[in-house]
Amino acid sequence: MRARVSWMNEADDAILEYLQELETDTGHRIALPPTAVWYNLVAELGVLDRSQNTISRRMNVLSNAELLEKIDEKRGYYRITDRGFAYLNGELAASDLEQPEE
């Protein structure tokens, strides 16, 4: 069971799960900008009904919580972290997910 804290919502899980699924067989983690994540989750897959701004904001929050890593400040590319995988696998307690700065 995953730890859920008050600052998280269903968009957070969808974003993390999507980026987790993009990991290659060799363990390479694909990095994407929020617009690409929004396009795939909303327009292509229909998993969420959220705006591009919301997805971008949530990815920033997840980065502040160290569940995502922003790897390119200029272009805004993010990828999932080991901590993000641990969250998805239910290996983090709610107390491990401190309130991130927005």
Side-chain angles (χ1 to χ4, degrees), residues 71-91:
I71 61 166
D72 187 326
E73 287 292 328
K74 184 176 180 182
R75 293 183 185 93
Y77 277 68
Y78 294 83
R79 68 176 164 214
I80 192 167
T81 62
D82 289 340
R83 184 174 161 89
F85 276 103
Y87 163 74
L88 291 174
N89 293 329
E91 298 167 359

Side-chain angles (χ1 to χ4, degrees), residues 19-87:
L19 291 172
Q20 176 188 39
E21 290 174 12
L22 295 178
E23 183 178 31
T24 67
D25 292 338
T26 60
H28 178 74
R29 296 177 187 174
I30 303 298
L32 292 173
T35 301
V37 174
W38 170 84
Y39 178 80
N40 285 287
L41 290 177
V42 176
E44 284 292 314
L45 300 172
V47 176
L48 292 173
D49 183 19
R50 298 284 195 270
S51 69
Q52 287 182 23
N53 286 339
T54 297
I55 297 302
S56 180
R57 193 169 48 254
R58 296 312 306 167
M59 289 178 76
N60 188 55
V61 169
L62 293 169
S63 177
N64 288 339
E66 299 177 354
L67 299 173
L68 292 181
E69 172 187 23
K70 191 171 190 178
I71 61 166
D72 187 326
E73 287 292 328
K74 184 176 180 182
R75 293 183 185 93
Y77 277 68
Y78 294 83
R79 68 176 164 214
I80 192 167
T81 62
D82 289 340
R83 184 174 161 89
F85 276 103
Y87 163 74

